[in-house]
Amino acid sequence: MNMIPQEIVDYLDQHIIGQNNAKKTIALALRTRYRRLRLDPPLQDEIMPKNILMIGSTGVGKTEIARRLAKLMQLPFIKVEASKYTEVGFVGRDVESMVRDLVMTSYSMVKAEHNENNKEAIEHYIVDILTHKLHPEVPHFPTEEEKARHEISKSELSKKIRNGGMDDRLVEIELSTGGIEFNDTNMPPEIARVQESFSKMFSVIGKEENKKEVSVAEAKEILRQEASEKLLNHDQIKREALKRTEEGGIIFLDEIDKIAVNSRSDGRNDPSKEGVQRDLLPIVEGSIVSTKFGSIKTDHILFIAAGAFHLTKPSDLIPELQGRFPLRVELEPLNEDALYLILTKPKNSLLEQYKALLATEEMQLSFDEAAIRAMARYAQRANEKTEDIGARRLHTVVEKVLEDISFNAHLHKNSAVTVTEAMVNTILLPLVEDEDLARYIL
């Protein structure tokens, strides 16, 4: 998607409060990728992605910025936790599997687009098969008049099937026993391909014996998968998925501070941490990873790493890995004003979500301005007294305030309920004042 940096920042502002430096840095990184693709191929290869390291406490918006951007730009995007990976030789997920996960995400995106683009052909395939199954055969040696009546009747039935008029009718269809996809990205691609080949072979053998009577509505969904497999060019989808991953893929590597080795420790607590960093290095620098759809170069995949770095610091990462994240941005902790804005300003804010949920019970929920301020204040105080979990504290605070109202929503049917500052104080003040209660309840 061709968006200038300011448009990207404006979009993020609708959903995320503050953190302007982080928004600006990522918007520029994405725009640079767009600019690179407009250059001549020899120069394109020379321009490496400017990977980003985001530093900030939990709940300040690191993940949300990356997630919203990927959704906006319609780019292959995955979020992984660095702490889930292990050094080669240890039991666990190897770091190459994150690239395979990204390719799988890209493949799903491209396949969905091709399904949408071939929507009419897929629909025609489904209706044609169901019409053939539900409509009686033309009589032997038909007259011209019988042929004409048969075609008219068949056409009318097709229209009914297409418009949902036959959805409750039962029809017998053959169910495919295969089609199992082996998406374990930690499995060697060669083994995954062999297993899928066996799966498809056995599905063909058992298909004729696996018949079932289902409604036409259910049959449409079953046949849609079959139509997709038969009508789409899967080789083209694979090639496009690989290309899109190489040129636009984004891997959000969260908790990178968890694999940093504190300079004051000897590293004996977890000897694999530095090993994970060294395994990660060639992927971030640029290497070739084998996937079941083909080999992929990671040179131009954008890596956005994030971590709180409470017990460690970025300099505790191995120097080579530090050098592969040239853009550093520190996210600001959230104060009371920021928490208030998070409750009120974003599209589909937390309070708007609760209003919509309780509206399904025919109840009109509203909040006094002073009540919203009070919830932001108590969330901030709870963050100060216990662990600072940023905006995530608001979910607990608002849920606690609305607990009884939500539980008794059926009693407030066709009525309006306003949350006041007094209600907020009554519920939250005792919890926040008692540090033990705050630690376990808020």
Side-chain angles (χ1 to χ4, degrees):
M1 188 180 292
N2 179 15
M3 295 181 73
I4 63 172
Q6 187 57 54
E7 289 173 332
I8 296 172
V9 172
D10 289 343
Y11 168 80
L12 291 174
D13 283 342
Q14 296 174 26
H15 302 279
I16 300 158
I17 298 302
Q19 312 304 0
N20 294 323
N21 288 337
K23 292 173 184 174
K24 186 176 178 181
T25 300
I26 292 184
L28 280 171
L30 289 176
R31 186 62 178 181
T32 299
R33 309 193 86 193
Y34 167 78
R35 292 167 180 163
R36 172 186 164 270
L37 292 174
R38 303 189 70 184
L39 300 174
D40 294 331
L43 187 53
Q44 279 187 27
D45 291 338
E46 296 297 323
I47 298 175
M48 294 292 107
K50 301 297 187 289
N51 297 321
I52 301 164
L53 179 62
M54 301 170 71
I55 304 163
S57 301
T58 183
V60 296
K62 303 187 297 293
T63 307
E64 189 65 9
I65 289 173
R67 188 178 70 83
R68 290 285 180 183
L69 269 178
K71 187 176 180 181
L72 169 70
M73 308 297 285
Q74 296 179 321
L75 298 171
F77 169 86
I78 58 163
K79 173 185 177 289
V80 297
E81 283 79 36
S83 55
K84 298 288 174 67
Y85 296 92
T86 59
E87 182 182 358
V88 172
F90 285 75
V91 176
R93 289 179 68 81
D94 71 89
V95 292
E96 285 190 353
S97 66
M98 70 175 68
V99 179
R100 298 189 191 111
D101 285 336
L102 185 64
V103 173
M104 284 299 304
T105 299
S106 181
Y107 178 79
S108 298
M109 286 177 63
V110 175
K111 187 176 179 181
E113 289 172 13
H114 279 246
N115 274 325
E116 185 62 29
N117 294 337
N118 291 274
K119 193 174 179 180
E120 281 301 314
I122 290 171
E123 199 66 26
H124 180 76
Y125 177 93
I126 295 167
V127 172
D128 191 53
I129 287 181
L130 291 174
T131 302
H132 178 74
K133 288 183 175 295
L134 293 172
H135 197 269
E137 292 292 328
V138 64
H140 291 295
F141 309 110
T143 64
E144 290 301 318
E145 186 180 347
E146 285 175 328
K147 281 183 182 178
R149 279 202 307 268
H150 183 271
E151 288 304 315
I152 291 170
S153 171
K154 193 174 179 180
S155 176
E156 288 175 350
L157 179 62
S158 293
K159 286 180 183 175
K160 274 188 173 183
I161 293 170
R162 189 181 292 272
N163 297 331
M166 302 290 289
D167 280 358
D168 294 333
R169 181 85 174 266
L170 294 177
V171 61
E172 187 181 70
I173 64 168
E174 295 83 17
L175 299 176
S176 173
T177 56
I180 300 170
E181 289 194 7
F182 291 87
N183 294 336
D184 181 358
T185 51
N186 212 37
M187 180 189 296
E190 296 78 11
I191 295 176
R193 282 194 289 266
V194 169
Q195 287 187 328
E196 285 192 359
S197 296
F198 275 115
S199 170
K200 288 174 183 175
M201 183 177 68
F202 287 120
S203 73
V204 172
I205 293 170
K207 186 173 182 180
E208 287 302 318
E209 301 174 357
N210 193 20
K211 294 183 178 181
K212 186 178 180 182
E213 195 172 53
V214 297
S215 69
V216 168
E218 291 175 296
K220 285 179 180 178
E221 294 306 312
I222 294 167
L223 290 170
R224 184 163 281 111
Q225 179 64 29
E226 182 181 304
S228 175
E229 292 301 316
K230 286 189 175 181
L231 299 178
L232 300 187
N233 185 336
H234 292 278
D235 287 335
Q236 182 186 348
I237 293 173
K238 289 174 185 177
R239 287 194 300 271
E240 192 175 333
L242 288 171
K243 183 181 178 184
R244 208 178 281 193
T245 304
E246 286 184 339
E247 294 182 352
I250 301 174
I251 294 180
F252 185 81
L253 191 59
D254 204 4
E255 297 183 353
I256 196 169
D257 55 319
K258 301 291 195 304
I259 60 170
V261 180
N262 193 310
S263 55
R264 290 169 294 181
S265 98
D266 57 8
R268 283 181 297 186
N269 291 334
D270 192 348
S272 71
K273 284 184 177 180
E274 189 170 314
V276 174
Q277 294 182 57
R278 296 204 177 278
D279 289 345
L280 186 61
L281 184 60
I283 294 175
V284 179
E285 284 184 329
S287 61
I288 296 176
V289 175
S290 179
T291 77
K292 70 175 186 176
F293 298 133
S295 296
I296 180 168
K297 293 173 68 177
T298 67
D299 301 58
H300 297 287
I301 291 175
L302 177 66
F303 287 84
I304 303 174
F309 289 99
H310 288 315
L311 303 176
T312 56
K313 50 188 183 296
S315 59
D316 288 329
L317 296 167
I318 61 174
E320 300 94 327
L321 191 59
Q322 291 179 50
R324 296 308 299 169
F325 289 89
L327 302 182
R328 305 282 178 90
V329 58
E330 189 165 355
L331 282 81
E332 307 150 10
L334 301 175
N335 57 24
E336 183 183 321
D337 289 337
L339 292 171
Y340 167 78
L341 291 173
I342 289 169
L343 284 174
T344 56
K345 189 177 175 184
K347 276 187 175 181
N348 302 321
S349 68
L350 193 58
L351 299 187
E352 292 300 321
Q353 291 172 33
Y354 276 100
K355 288 178 186 178
L357 285 170
L358 291 175
T360 64
E361 305 270 5
E362 297 179 46
M363 169 186 153
Q364 185 181 345
L365 180 68
S366 61
F367 297 85
D368 279 350
E369 180 73 12
I372 301 173
R373 285 280 179 191
M375 286 189 288
R377 183 170 62 252
Y378 285 121
Q380 173 65 10
R381 287 172 62 183
N383 276 340
E384 289 173 351
K385 279 178 170 278
T386 59
E387 284 291 319
D388 186 352
I389 58 172
R392 292 190 176 93
R393 185 76 66 187
L394 292 172
H395 289 267
T396 311
V397 165
V398 175
E399 184 66 37
K400 198 67 189 171
V401 169
L402 296 179
E403 187 175 46
D404 288 339
I405 294 172
S406 183
F407 186 82
N408 296 309
H410 62 287
L411 302 177
H412 303 290
K413 193 172 182 178
N414 297 320
S415 63
V417 174
T418 300
V419 177
T420 64
E421 184 180 17
M423 291 168 59
V424 173
N425 287 337
T426 301
I427 295 167
L428 296 180
L429 183 59
L431 298 179
V432 174
E433 290 300 317
D434 188 323
E435 192 167 328
D436 288 333
L437 283 176
R439 190 173 299 278
Y440 290 104
I441 297 176
L442 292 180

